[in-house]
């Protein structure tokens, strides 16, 4: 028998499962994979990469020679499990092969999702290198969170597939063992891809911080140049602001125009000098 049920209906399986096993599952004591003499228990947090949903939902699987039951935490996980466990009536498949097909269908589209992430991160790197903006930081944080979720998800499945491939209790056929070994290899490739993308995001964040530093340095350079340009004028203003007689403008009618001309000349000379030094 093969069924998909919410965890709240776990007790309905008493006719098909040992009461102690039901209690064991109900108490949440199972971790990832546990193989017993006559059955296997599998638990993992399912993550749907094909939707905008970021929350993970727990799935519990019970496998023996006659039965395969999937217990789901919420409706989204239940719908996914129903679709993944669907087997046409004309196909009389053993539970091991059905379980393999179940995981294959759950993972359908994951590589496409990773490829999209890689393309988005690559485009983001180009944008950041042309100029950092605050909006990019939110995107970098979102990518880091998504990759962390994928890392945790694939690590669970990688461990489960390795344990299934060992087949200590002999519930699976040789072909099924090879199938789960191949799934384990696929998880390793997914994990390597995720790790590579995480490194890219880390480098992207460093590039973003560097761009911010460059922008801040440019701003400080402008302030420094403005201060340097107007510092001589400040000196002149302070000098001519002193209250004593004998100042040139009091004895010469062109005194003020001369001071203005000198001030403009100083500013022009400094601006030309700064441009020559490529400080402006």
């Amino acid at each position: 028998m093969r069924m998909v049920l919410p965890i709240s209906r776990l007790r309905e399986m008493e006719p098909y499962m040992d009461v102690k096993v039901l209690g064991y599952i109900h108490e949440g004591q199972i971790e990832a994979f546990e193989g017993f003499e006559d059955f296997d228990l599998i638990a993992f947090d399912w993550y749907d990469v094909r939707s905008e949903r970021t929350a993970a939902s727990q799935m519990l699987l019970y496998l023996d020679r006659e039965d395969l039951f999937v217990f789901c935490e919420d409706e989204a996980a239940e719908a996914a499990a129903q679709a993944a466990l669907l087997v046409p009536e004309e196909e009389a498949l053993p539970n091991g092969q059905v379980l393999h097909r179940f995981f294959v269908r759950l993972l359908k589209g994951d590589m496409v999702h990773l490829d999209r992430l890689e393309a988005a991160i690559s485009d983001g790197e180009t944008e950041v290198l042309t100029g950092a903006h605050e909006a990019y930081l939110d995107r970098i944080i979102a990518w880091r969170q998504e990759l962390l979720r994928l890392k945790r998800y694939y690590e669970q499945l990688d461990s489960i597939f390795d344990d299934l491939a060992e087949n200590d209790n002999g519930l699976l056929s040789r072909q099924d063992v090879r199938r789960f070994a191949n799934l384990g290899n696929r998880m390793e490739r997914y994990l390597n891809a995720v790790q590579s993308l995480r490194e890219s995001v880390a480098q992207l964040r460093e590039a973003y911080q560097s761009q911010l530093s460059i922008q801040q340095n440019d701003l400080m350079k402008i302030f420094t140049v403005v201060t340097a340009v107007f510092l001589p004028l400040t000196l002149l203003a302070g000098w001519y602001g002193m209250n004593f007689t004998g100042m040139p403008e009091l004895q010469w009618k062109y005194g003020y125009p001369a001071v203005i001309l000198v001030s403009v000349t100083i500013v022009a000379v400094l601006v030309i000098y700064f441009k020559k030094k490529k400080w402006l």
Side-chain angles (χ1 to χ4, degrees):
M1 178 181 293
R2 296 157 190 159
M3 294 184 66
V4 176
L5 294 171
I7 294 179
S8 58
R9 296 176 58 186
L10 187 63
R11 292 296 180 184
E12 295 182 15
M13 294 293 101
E14 287 186 3
Y16 310 100
M17 299 170 60
D18 189 281
V19 176
K20 293 181 179 180
V21 176
L22 288 173
Y24 184 75
I25 297 175
H26 188 72
E27 293 173 3
Q29 298 180 22
I30 180 173
E31 297 181 1
F33 177 91
E34 295 190 37
F36 297 86
E37 183 177 354
D38 299 321
F39 61 91
D40 289 334
L41 293 178
I42 302 169
F44 65 96
D45 294 325
W46 168 73
Y47 176 54
D48 186 9
V49 302
R50 288 166 287 183
S51 71
E52 299 297 326
R53 186 172 181 266
T54 58
S57 303
Q58 189 179 46
M59 286 189 182
L60 298 173
L61 285 77
Y62 171 87
L63 172 71
D64 61 22
R65 300 188 186 279
E66 291 81 25
D67 304 312
L68 175 57
F69 303 134
V70 183
F71 304 100
C72 304
E73 183 179 8
D74 54 31
E75 293 182 358
E78 188 175 352
Q82 289 280 9
L85 198 64
L86 183 64
V87 178
E89 295 182 0
E90 61 271 15
E91 291 189 57
L93 301 178
N95 283 338
Q97 189 172 347
V98 174
L99 181 64
H100 172 265
R101 182 179 295 186
F102 171 84
F103 281 112
V104 168
R105 289 175 176 174
L106 280 185
L107 294 168
K108 184 179 180 180
D110 285 39
M111 184 53 72
V112 174
H113 180 65
L114 291 175
D115 290 340
R116 289 174 181 170
L117 267 178
E118 183 179 9
I121 292 170
S122 178
D123 293 341
E125 184 176 5
T126 303
E127 294 175 4
V128 167
L129 291 176
T130 57
H133 301 285
E134 292 184 1
Y136 294 142
L137 182 59
D138 295 334
R139 293 168 62 184
I140 291 173
I141 293 174
W143 286 330
R144 289 185 63 191
Q145 292 174 342
E146 172 69 6
L147 291 171
L148 180 60
R149 286 190 291 265
L150 289 171
K151 175 178 175 292
R152 291 172 176 171
Y153 179 46
Y154 294 143
E155 283 177 343
Q156 292 180 90
L157 295 182
D158 184 43
S159 175
I160 289 171
F161 296 151
D162 287 344
D163 290 332
L164 284 169
E166 290 180 4
N167 193 30
D168 292 334
N169 52 16
L171 287 180
L172 304 176
S173 67
R174 291 183 179 180
Q175 290 182 342
D176 293 332
V177 168
R178 286 198 299 269
R179 291 187 180 104
F180 283 109
N182 291 334
L183 277 179
N185 293 333
R186 184 194 296 187
M187 287 304 97
E188 290 182 4
R189 292 195 299 271
Y190 284 5
L191 283 170
N192 290 335
V194 169
Q195 183 60 32
S196 176
L197 291 177
R198 294 186 72 195
E199 293 174 358
S200 297
V201 171
Q203 294 173 0
L204 182 58
R205 185 179 182 183
E206 292 177 0
Y208 172 81
Q209 295 293 343
S210 298
Q211 286 295 322
L212 285 182
S213 298
I214 291 172
Q215 290 178 2
Q216 291 174 354
N217 291 338
D218 290 341
L219 185 60
M220 292 303 298
K221 183 173 69 175
I222 292 174
F223 288 152
T224 302
V225 169
V226 170
T227 302
V229 167
F230 286 98
L231 185 60
L233 306 186
T234 304
L235 176 62
L236 288 174
W239 180 28
Y240 277 90
M242 291 188 294
N243 188 17
F244 61 88
T245 60
M247 300 298 290
E249 67 271 18
L250 299 179
Q251 302 175 5
W252 183 34
K253 65 178 181 179
Y254 298 111
Y256 275 115
V259 171
I260 293 173
L261 179 61
V262 170
S263 300
V264 171
T265 302
I266 291 173
V267 171
V269 170
L270 288 175
V271 169
I272 293 172
Y273 177 76
F274 289 150
K275 285 188 175 180
K276 185 177 181 180
K277 292 291 186 178
K278 297 183 179 180
W279 293 348
L280 280 176

